[in-house]
């Protein structure tokens, strides 16, 4: 996935830089090196620029530059908004009382399975209408068809 698609607070690892020349050298010089762990710390109100944390440094990056950096999520949990098509187990809900009340009314609770298909979400065969912000607060772990954990998102 592209770094620009990552949401704040999700740790990832840089896979590759899809650029060459001066910009490649500039990014490498700032610490954007394959294998390094990275996290989006903050996103400006209009979505550009990003503040990224690499090691103990915070670096500001434009969206067009973040589009050139391929990352993979580290660990098994990720926000639902980043989930590719498949079956997931809900691991935690990060929200206030109103959010938790709405999720409970929708049947979304820790431990339940949720299917993702084409940016649509289903619980027990029923489509669930979620906004972007809600989907960033629901953390999931991918499970295989047999119900076992599978590898994290790439």
């Amino acid at each position: 996935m592209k770094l620009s698609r990552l949401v704040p607070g999700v740790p990832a690892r840089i896979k590759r830089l899809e650029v060459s020349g001066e910009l490649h050298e500039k990014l490498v010089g700032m610490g954007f090196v394959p294998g390094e762990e990275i996290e989006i710390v903050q996103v400006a109100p209009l979505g550009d620029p990003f503040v990224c944390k690499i090691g103990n440094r915070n670096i500001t990056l434009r969206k067009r530059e973040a589009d050139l950096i391929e990352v993979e999520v580290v660990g098994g949990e990720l926000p639902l908004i980043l989930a590719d098509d498949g079956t997931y187990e809900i691991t935690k809900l990060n929200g206030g009382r109103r959010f938790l009340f709405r999720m409970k009314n929708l049947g979304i609770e820790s431990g339940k399975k949720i299917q993702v298909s084409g940016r649509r979400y289903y619980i027990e065969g029923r489509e669930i209408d979620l906004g972007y912000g809600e989907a960033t607060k629901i953390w999931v772990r991918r499970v295989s068809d047999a119900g076992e954990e599978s590898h994290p998102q790439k």
Side-chain angles (χ1 to χ4, degrees):
M1 101 176 36
K2 303 292 184 193
L3 177 60
S4 59
R5 189 167 166 235
L6 204 60
V7 295
V10 178
R13 184 170 292 112
I14 298 172
K15 286 174 63 176
R16 69 180 157 275
L17 303 178
E18 298 174 346
V19 64
S20 59
E22 271 186 49
L23 183 55
H24 182 272
E25 295 303 316
K26 175 185 170 187
L27 292 172
V28 169
M30 290 192 299
F32 293 91
V33 178
E36 286 291 319
E37 286 202 19
I38 187 169
E39 183 178 321
I40 301 290
V41 177
Q42 187 177 12
V43 179
L46 297 176
D48 192 18
F50 297 87
V51 177
C52 305
K53 182 176 183 175
I54 300 178
N56 60 359
R57 296 181 303 161
N58 287 343
I59 301 167
T60 303
L61 197 64
R62 292 269 175 214
K63 184 180 184 310
R64 67 178 176 269
E65 296 164 335
D67 283 337
L68 303 171
I69 301 171
E70 187 75 20
V71 299
E72 63 183 342
V73 174
V74 175
E77 293 184 359
L78 69 156
L80 184 59
I81 195 69
L82 298 180
D84 291 327
D85 290 357
T87 302
Y88 296 82
E89 178 183 354
I90 299 169
T91 57
K92 63 184 170 185
L93 302 171
N94 291 332
R97 192 172 58 206
R98 280 182 150 167
F99 170 75
L100 296 174
F101 181 75
R102 174 166 156 66
M103 295 302 106
K104 186 172 183 176
N105 285 337
L106 290 172
I108 297 174
E109 301 175 54
S110 290
K112 281 207 170 177
K113 302 284 189 276
I114 188 165
Q115 285 79 39
V116 179
S117 179
R119 294 285 153 232
R120 295 186 185 273
Y121 309 108
Y122 301 88
I123 290 186
E124 299 170 352
R126 183 173 48 97
E127 185 174 354
I128 305 295
D129 185 30
L130 294 173
Y132 179 89
E134 292 171 323
T136 62
K137 296 176 183 177
I138 300 169
W139 284 67
V140 296
R141 176 181 294 117
R142 189 187 257 305
V143 293
S144 68
D145 294 330
E148 302 169 2
E149 289 183 27
S150 67
H151 300 289
Q153 293 285 302
K154 303 237 165 132

